[in-house]
Amino acid sequence: MKQLKIGRSNNCDIVINDATVSSEHLEIFQDDEGNVFITDLESSNGTFVNGERIIGSSKINQNDIVKIGNSVLPWRNYLKEGHQQTELSELVEEKSKSVPSNVIIESPTQTIVIKEKSHFVRNLFLGLITIILIGAVVFILLPEETKRELYEGLGIENSDFVRENSLKSYVRVQNYIENRTLGGKLAVKAMLYNDHPSATIRSVTLRYNFTDGSEDRKSNVNIPPGNSWAKVTNEKFSGRKKNSLRSIEVISASE
């Protein structure tokens, strides 16, 4: 199925620079069975098939000659799939055997421009989405310290968004101590500092990375802002008799 609007306006699918052609002169429609119909769009000078003016819509055959204003239409070419050339009519000599789309072809009475639908807006939208997605991925992969510097540089470190999503970058694990309890558990004490200038951190989730795996623990803390004093956490782990602690990561933090 194919439908084309023809006229002098640049909004048409096929533009004909002929003063006797209306801005939106007619439409050509081809159904799935190959039948072709033309509809005059109440043009000023009319649409003619084999010399007879049509009113409204009319079915046309392969050998019919369609004329609008002073222009004879090569309508069969318009319906070809992926057509890259046009002819003015069987009565007008072809300018070229292969004319790319968007090239202007002139005759003594008319200029026909075959337009390709522009995909500029779609491509622009897809390009913007791609840039946003790449930027989001790069931002996620940035170190927390770098994110914090960006927030501070933009002056949004105290915004609700930053507090809800990136307070963990302000929690600093200064050092930790591990020892064995009498019950055979591994006890870990960690000193936490809050580097945020105004937010009090009340909950943190820490990831303890052992030689044989990791384990997350959430703790209720009360660390005031400004790196004034440390909060010492004390966690005990079972089944870690033959393991040692490699590092502690801050997974999340909240007010």
Side-chain angles (χ1 to χ4, degrees), residues 80-220:
K80 291 180 182 178
E81 289 296 332
H83 69 86
Q84 295 294 318
Q85 64 180 35
T86 184
E87 57 184 356
L88 298 182
S89 72
E90 296 176 358
L91 304 178
V92 179
E93 183 179 358
E94 291 182 347
K95 283 282 188 180
S96 156
K97 292 297 182 181
S98 180
V99 182
S101 59
N102 293 327
V103 170
I104 298 177
I105 303 174
E106 296 183 352
S107 77
T109 59
Q110 63 183 332
T111 301
I112 298 180
V113 181
I114 308 299
K115 296 199 312 176
E116 290 183 345
K117 299 271 187 179
S118 173
H119 299 298
F120 174 76
V121 175
R122 183 193 67 181
N123 293 337
L124 178 62
F125 176 76
L126 292 176
L128 290 175
I129 292 297
T130 301
I131 292 173
I132 291 172
L133 290 176
I134 293 174
V137 171
V138 171
F139 182 80
I140 291 172
L141 296 177
L142 287 176
E144 292 298 327
E145 290 296 325
T146 304
K147 292 180 184 177
R148 189 174 72 184
E149 291 175 1
L150 288 174
Y151 288 138
E152 291 175 348
L154 294 172
I156 59 172
E157 70 271 16
N158 289 319
S159 68
D160 291 339
F161 173 80
V162 174
R163 291 190 177 196
E164 291 174 2
N165 294 277
S166 295
L167 276 179
K168 67 178 182 178
S169 68
Y170 293 92
V171 178
R172 175 165 45 89
V173 181
Q174 183 67 35
N175 51 51
Y176 59 86
I177 301 172
E178 57 179 314
N179 55 64
R180 309 290 171 177
T181 67
L182 294 177
K185 295 181 178 181
L186 179 62
V188 179
K189 293 182 179 180
M191 298 180 64
L192 307 180
Y193 287 89
N194 176 11
D195 292 327
H196 198 281
S198 60
T200 297
I201 296 175
R202 305 185 188 280
S203 176
V204 295
T205 299
L206 301 178
R207 175 166 295 162
Y208 296 82
N209 298 310
F210 297 97
T211 53
D212 67 339
S214 302
E215 187 172 336
D216 293 352
R217 292 286 180 90
K218 183 176 181 179
S219 302
N220 293 322

